[in-house]
Amino acid sequence: MVRKHLIGYEMNTILFCFDWNALTAIGTLLLAIVTVVTVCQNRYQLSELKRQREEDTRARIDCSIIEWHNCYFFKIQNVGRSLAYNIQLKFEGNPIVTNPYRSLTELLVELQNKKLMLSPGANIYFLLIPKEQSQLEWTNIDKKEWQSTESITGWINKNENEKIVLTGTYNDKYSIDIKMSIREFLANGSVNVMEPLAEIAESLSSNGEDEQTIQKSLYRISLNQNQSSKNNPS
């Protein structure tokens, strides 16, 4: 009987000495940690979903080189699903620096000081070089831009594998870094289907006299092609 009394006394002493406040504090701390972890996970998941939506719907600028009517063009396209604004482009590389048509080089260099805008799916074109002089008769006599077809062909053969680097920014947060060559886009005899030439001429909108000359030349090509189609009906 005495032994049972002693055991009961010892148990009461242990329970009395146990710090229930400390146990409650530990439980509260663990609950707080679990809550913080859960909140962080939820925020991360929401942030990831938001980032995914932005990636799916954002603007995306792409560039390719296409051939049409014996001319090579840069085709800048917004392949994304949102408006691309404040587009600033910078073309570099040997084919840009050594282009025999200085007006075309100046046109591309001047793009660094301009801001463009493209709606989803919209394109803009910039002339790289004609394959034949007859395709682009310059009206600005001060520039004396005439080149023989042999000279142009030699330049193309020399530079068709040279890299052209396009860098820039758009939407004030996205960057452009594209490397390309004429041969990469025109390999294997691929055919590029392109919008009407008049649209290309309109896309070369600028205040510069050289671009106006280019527009006139492009429209002349278009008129010549229309006349050719009338004279040679299929």
Side-chain angles (χ1 to χ4, degrees), residues 62-77 91 122-131 155-156 160 164 180-187 189-197 199-201 203 218:
D62 191 27
C63 181
S64 58
I65 299 174
I66 60 176
E67 180 183 2
W68 197 81
H69 282 232
N70 278 337
C71 292
Y72 291 140
F73 291 89
F74 288 114
K75 178 182 179 181
I76 311 296
Q77 183 178 15
F91 286 93
N123 311 313
I124 189 170
Y125 303 88
F126 298 98
L127 183 59
L128 173 57
I129 194 170
K131 294 176 68 176
W155 181 90
I156 292 174
E160 64 180 359
I164 299 171
M180 55 193 157
S181 68
I182 296 174
R183 177 53 54 193
E184 287 175 1
F185 286 95
L186 307 175
S190 59
V191 178
N192 294 283
V193 179
M194 197 164 146
E195 285 79 359
L197 194 58
E199 180 181 340
I200 302 172
S203 73
L218 290 172

Side-chain angles (χ1 to χ4, degrees), residues 65-170:
I65 299 174
I66 60 176
E67 180 183 2
W68 197 81
H69 282 232
N70 278 337
C71 292
Y72 291 140
F73 291 89
F74 288 114
K75 178 182 179 181
I76 311 296
Q77 183 178 15
N78 179 5
V79 297
R81 299 167 62 184
S82 298
L83 176 70
Y85 57 90
N86 286 350
I87 306 171
Q88 290 188 287
L89 305 174
K90 182 178 182 181
F91 286 93
E92 297 178 293
N94 203 54
I96 304 300
V97 176
T98 64
N99 193 318
Y101 291 100
R102 303 314 302 164
S103 295
L104 295 179
T105 297
E106 292 169 6
L107 170 69
L108 295 174
V109 170
E110 188 63 26
L111 282 175
Q112 300 178 47
N113 303 319
K114 298 180 180 179
K115 292 185 178 180
L116 309 175
M117 183 180 298
L118 285 174
S119 57
N123 311 313
I124 189 170
Y125 303 88
F126 298 98
L127 183 59
L128 173 57
I129 194 170
K131 294 176 68 176
E132 299 176 6
Q133 172 63 33
S134 60
Q135 293 300 109
L136 197 59
E137 297 178 1
W138 300 93
T139 59
N140 189 338
I141 59 175
D142 294 332
K143 292 292 182 179
K144 296 182 180 179
E145 293 279 29
W146 191 90
Q147 297 287 334
S148 68
T149 298
E150 291 75 14
S151 174
I152 298 173
T153 301
W155 181 90
I156 292 174
N157 291 337
K158 182 179 179 181
N159 290 277
E160 64 180 359
N161 290 310
E162 291 284 334
K163 290 295 183 182
I164 299 171
V165 180
L166 173 61
T167 57
T169 58
Y170 60 101

